[in-house]
Amino acid sequence: MPRTTPEPRASRAARRPVVALHAEPLREQPWWGWAAFAVIAAYTVGALAMVFGPHTVGDMFTETDFYGSYGPGARLVQQGLLDPTRYGVQGPLFDVVLAAVGFVVRDLFVAAQLVSVAAMAGMLLVWRSLFNRWMGPLGALVGVSLLVANPWCWRFAWSATTDALSLGLQAASLVVLLGSRNASGPTLRRTALAGLLAGLSFLTRYNFVVLVPAALATIALGWNAVPREARVRHLLAFALGFAAPVAPWMAWSAAHGGLQRGQLHMNVAYEVFAKAQGIPLDVFQRDLEPQFPNAWSVLARDPVAVVTHMIRNVFAHLVLDGRLVAGVPLALAAVLGAILAVRDRALAAARPALLVWALLFVSLVPAPHSERYSLAVLPAWAMLAGHALTAPRFAFVWRSAWLKLALVPLLLVAGLRETRAVTLRTLDQLPVEVLEAAERVRPLVRPGERVFARKPHFAWYAGLTPVALPLTEDLGEWGRLAQQEDVRWLYFSWPEAQLRNAFEWLLDSTSAAPGLTVRAATSHWPAVVYEIDTRFGDPPAWAGNDTLEAVHRARARAQLNPKDAETRVFLAMHEFSLGRHEVAQRWIDELLTIGPRDPDVLLLAAENRLQLRDPAGALSYYERADRVRPGTAEVRIGFGWVAAMQGDEVKAARFWAPVADASSDPVTLQRMMIAFARTQDATAYAVAQRKLAELGGAR
């Protein structure tokens, strides 16, 4: 056989340069697909660990609706009752699903979380499939990994909210609508199923009605490969599929007193006419909400302010989505991905999803920005970032390796760090005190009893019916309403103190208001459970005494803010002045935790230890104060007191002699004179005697 002449090295180098800006597409690797499934599996296992681990109670923000709406609604469904009047701003599907799962998982809070875990895992599987169609298996792996590393995608996987279920149904509707992977388009049956899933998503969260125009546009424009001659039939199939669950519910609800009311105009009214003026939400709901029955009434009040607010929100929401929801690193990668997609005319097949995301974004513009709501558009950021990181353009090739792929772990690490921070913050803020308080009070509760509370968490676990706190700063009115509405209990914690600041002193279990008997008090986050009797509403005995009122308020504020040094100084000085030095020491210890090098706090601590007859303890604080602020008269006087208490008159006189005229305390000056007399220091004695005389003290 003839020998093959080797290709010259120079020729090979010319064909495959060592360094290049752009690259050829990477050869597909089988493990990319399996890795994406492994990422989703790990995410699911982690979410289950949160459900059965530290997430023992819902937070005071998004999960409040579980205790006030979804949980009670599911219980009614389990009893065969579906009350349409409960569903003015969201559909009944989540309650129905929760009730069904609740027959197996008896704890409805756990059941709600399991629904979220399943829905989010399903959503990720759908997006992996769609990303795989549009960007290939490597793009799918990167896109899904970016979603999994996102703190909000993680947070709402184990939340007792409607978000995961609505997002899962939305993704399912979209993937069914787009037909098979070989771009053959959906059958009529699939199109009808897509409409059905869109209807179910709408019945979970009403703003997901945007799936309808997006789907109809997708079919009409042929974006999902439906033949032109079949598009009318597919449009009808989708509409009928959507109407199948929605129309019966809307008709039955309207016939039985239900009223589906959009809250978008009310969100605008609150933002423009209340929040901007510092009016709280509950005051707005009581006083202003009846003035805005529809969107026109909001616009008519001040058209310029409303239009300006909407325009401002478009840009504000976009920026906040990028900064808070996606995170800056992911957002920058997504911007680059969008530029590349437009330049290369890539991701054309993703137009239906892009339209859905755009409409969802617009539907959220009237509402205040929320990471929870913006989670619906997070896959758009992940997809665009995935395209930027896996497209051959700007691959920055070095010896056939794509250097830009090194950005993937950096983005994942940034996302996971933020996820860890959000998770720790969420767990730290969980109102675990409601579990403790409810456990203590539950044996005293009788069926059907009611409780005043701002949030319904405590009522859920204690077996009580929640009643909103009276919107008044008149304690007597609270008492009258308690009698009128037969409310036997009052739950007062930090949300109540925040909303009803005039009554923050109720967090102090020693406040001793008439008609309130403390039945439970917690300390992790402060909460007090009071049993109400007929005297409730009478003012406390200390009412009108400015000092005592300040003390009770300060005790409450100290519980609310563990770093409030000013409040603790006030309480420590108050207890010190009353001679309750053991109590004062507890406040001082907290102050030392806040500011361990604060010289004033160190001096206060030392003086308190002297009052407790602990000269050694006082000396340690004086020495610390002297290191922070050397040579002060206060510290030398303190050293002298320590020596005097230890019986060393010579040492005490040595410390006191240079500062004999620096003290303004008659007791200290008299003790100095004793030390000076015993050590025969006539000069220092005369200085102290003269200073005492100036203060009007005894000779």
Side-chain angles (χ1 to χ4, degrees):
M1 295 179 61
R3 298 179 61 184
T4 303
T5 303
E7 184 179 1
R9 291 185 179 181
S11 176
R12 293 201 304 270
R15 292 186 182 180
R16 184 174 296 177
V18 175
V19 179
L21 180 60
H22 307 300
E24 296 295 325
L26 287 171
R27 181 179 299 175
E28 185 174 322
Q29 301 295 325
W31 64 268
W32 290 344
W34 291 109
F37 287 116
V39 168
I40 296 172
Y43 168 91
T44 305
V45 171
L48 289 172
M50 295 297 296
V51 171
F52 294 107
H55 192 220
T56 55
V57 60
D59 64 36
M60 284 290 189
F61 306 102
T62 58
E63 290 176 301
T64 294
D65 287 340
F66 167 80
Y67 298 104
S69 178
Y70 314 140
R75 284 177 173 172
L76 290 175
V77 172
Q78 288 178 332
Q79 298 167 14
L81 301 173
L82 188 61
D83 181 3
T85 62
R86 295 177 54 85
Y87 304 104
V89 295
Q90 85 280 335
L93 185 68
F94 185 79
D95 291 6
V96 173
V97 172
L98 179 57
V101 177
F103 283 121
V104 179
V105 181
R106 305 301 295 176
D107 186 330
L108 287 179
F109 180 65
V110 173
Q113 294 176 82
L114 293 178
V115 170
S116 293
V117 173
M120 290 297 277
M123 183 198 74
L124 288 172
L125 289 171
V126 168
W127 286 119
R128 188 217 66 82
S129 174
L130 292 175
F131 289 168
N132 193 43
R133 295 188 196 184
W134 302 330
M135 301 185 294
L138 181 59
L141 172 60
V142 172
V144 165
S145 298
L146 292 172
L147 285 174
V148 165
N150 182 269
W152 306 110
C153 189
W154 167 249
R155 172 68 182 93
F156 289 100
W158 40 273
S159 295
T161 65
T162 62
D163 302 273
L165 182 59
S166 59
L167 292 172
L169 290 169
Q170 170 230 320
S173 175
L174 188 60
V175 75
V176 172
L177 177 69
L178 295 181
S180 62
R181 184 176 179 181
N182 60 15
S184 62
T187 63
L188 277 175
R189 184 175 297 178
R190 284 185 64 124
T191 300
L193 177 59
L196 175 65
L197 290 169
L200 294 176
S201 182
F202 167 77
L203 291 179
T204 307
R205 288 266 292 275
Y206 284 153
N207 73 308
F208 276 74
V209 70
V210 300
L211 287 170
V212 175
L216 297 180
T218 296
I219 297 169
L221 297 173
W223 288 351
N224 61 341
V226 173
R228 185 181 298 274
E229 64 276 8
R231 290 176 188 174
V232 173
R233 294 195 299 273
H234 280 266
L235 289 170
L236 290 174
F238 183 89
L240 290 174
F242 180 84
V246 172
W249 163 251
M250 301 292 279
W252 184 81
S253 177
H256 291 80
L259 178 62
Q260 285 75 35
R261 56 184 186 276
Q263 288 295 291
L264 295 182
H265 74 279
M266 204 60 72
N267 287 327
V268 175
Y270 171 67
E271 289 285 308
V272 175
F273 304 118
K275 187 177 180 180
Q277 281 73 42
I279 299 174
L281 177 60
D282 53 353
V283 175
F284 166 78
Q285 291 172 333
R286 182 193 65 181
D287 298 339
L288 298 180
E289 187 172 297
Q291 302 175 22
F292 302 105
N294 50 49
W296 172 250
S297 62
V298 178
L299 184 63
R301 173 69 65 92
D302 190 339
V304 174
V306 172
V307 172
T308 302
H309 169 76
M310 297 289 284
I311 295 174
R312 185 169 57 245
N313 264 15
V314 171
F315 297 99
H317 280 212
L318 186 61
V319 172
L320 290 172
D321 279 356
R323 184 164 61 88
L324 300 180
V325 181
V328 173
L330 175 58
L332 292 176
V335 170
L336 176 59
I339 295 171
L340 293 179
V342 172
R343 180 188 179 102
D344 301 337
R345 297 183 179 180
L347 301 178
R351 286 175 297 184
L354 292 170
L355 179 57
V356 168
W357 291 321
L359 292 176
L360 282 170
F361 177 83
V362 171
S363 75
L364 297 173
V365 166
H369 184 267
S370 166
E371 294 88 351
R372 173 191 181 186
Y373 298 142
S374 294
L375 182 62
V377 297
L378 179 63
W381 296 92
M383 181 187 73
L384 292 172
H387 177 68
L389 295 167
T390 60
R393 185 175 290 275
F394 299 110
F396 298 100
V397 181
W398 183 73
R399 294 186 181 275
S400 76
W402 289 22
L403 296 184
K404 76 173 179 179
L405 288 177
L407 295 175
V408 175
L410 296 180
L411 289 176
L412 295 178
V413 168
L416 291 172
R417 287 183 60 183
E418 183 63 19
T419 296
R420 181 178 184 274
V422 168
T423 302
L424 292 177
R425 185 166 63 247
T426 299
L427 295 179
D428 181 63
Q429 293 178 347
L430 291 181
V432 294
E433 69 276 5
V434 303
L435 302 175
E436 180 184 349
E439 184 178 1
R440 295 186 195 175
V441 171
R442 199 179 300 114
L444 306 175
V445 171
R446 295 188 291 266
E449 289 186 332
R450 315 179 84 194
V451 58
F452 277 142
R454 181 183 182 187
K455 299 283 187 173
H457 299 57
F458 171 75
W460 175 268
Y461 290 106
L464 294 163
T465 299
V467 178
L469 287 178
L471 191 59
T472 175
E473 295 187 358
D474 180 1
L475 189 63
E477 185 66 18
W478 281 38
R480 286 188 290 275
L481 288 172
Q483 295 298 314
Q484 291 173 12
E485 304 204 19
D486 194 24
V487 178
R488 182 190 171 196
W489 300 94
L490 169 62
Y491 179 78
F492 205 88
S493 64
W494 68 266
E496 285 76 15
Q498 187 180 63
L499 184 65
R500 302 290 184 266
N501 184 258
F503 301 108
E504 64 181 351
W505 52 266
L506 284 168
L507 275 181
D508 176 19
S509 59
T510 70
S511 56
L516 294 179
T517 303
V518 176
R519 294 303 184 191
T522 65
S523 58
H524 171 75
W525 290 116
V528 184
V529 183
Y530 294 99
E531 184 177 357
I532 298 172
D533 65 37
T534 55
R535 296 174 300 151
F536 178 46
D538 295 340
W542 46 262
N545 185 314
D546 292 344
T547 300
L548 291 179
E549 181 176 350
V551 168
H552 290 299
R553 288 186 178 277
R555 289 174 181 166
R557 289 172 185 168
Q559 296 182 74
L560 290 170
N561 186 354
K563 296 185 178 181
D564 185 348
E566 182 179 352
T567 292
R568 285 167 172 77
V569 168
F570 169 76
L571 290 169
M573 295 298 295
H574 174 74
E575 300 296 344
F576 187 99
S577 67
L578 296 177
R580 297 199 288 254
H581 298 290
E582 291 287 357
V583 179
Q585 189 62 46
R586 291 201 293 270
W587 294 116
I588 291 170
D589 289 342
E590 293 187 19
L591 282 167
L592 289 169
T593 301
I594 298 170
R597 291 178 54 81
D598 187 323
D600 295 326
V601 173
L602 290 168
L603 288 173
L604 177 59
E607 292 171 14
N608 199 62
R609 296 315 301 182
L610 289 177
Q611 297 298 324
L612 290 169
R613 315 303 296 176
D614 178 17
L619 179 61
S620 68
Y621 289 124
Y622 281 128
E623 289 174 340
R624 288 168 60 182
D626 193 45
R627 287 193 293 270
V628 175
R629 189 186 294 167
T632 63
E634 295 92 342
V635 171
R636 293 191 65 87
I637 292 171
F639 283 151
W641 267 112
V642 170
M645 292 182 68
Q646 292 175 334
D648 192 339
E649 297 290 341
V650 174
K651 191 175 183 180
R654 188 168 66 248
F655 279 120
W656 279 336
V659 292
D661 62 345
S663 175
S664 58
D665 176 33
V667 174
T668 298
L669 289 168
Q670 290 173 359
R671 186 62 184 85
M672 284 181 176
M673 292 169 62
I674 294 172
F676 296 148
R678 289 176 178 174
T679 58
Q680 300 181 356
D681 188 340
T683 302
Y685 183 93
V687 173
Q689 187 180 45
R690 184 176 64 253
K691 182 69 173 181
L692 183 61
E694 292 174 357
L695 296 174
R699 286 184 170 274

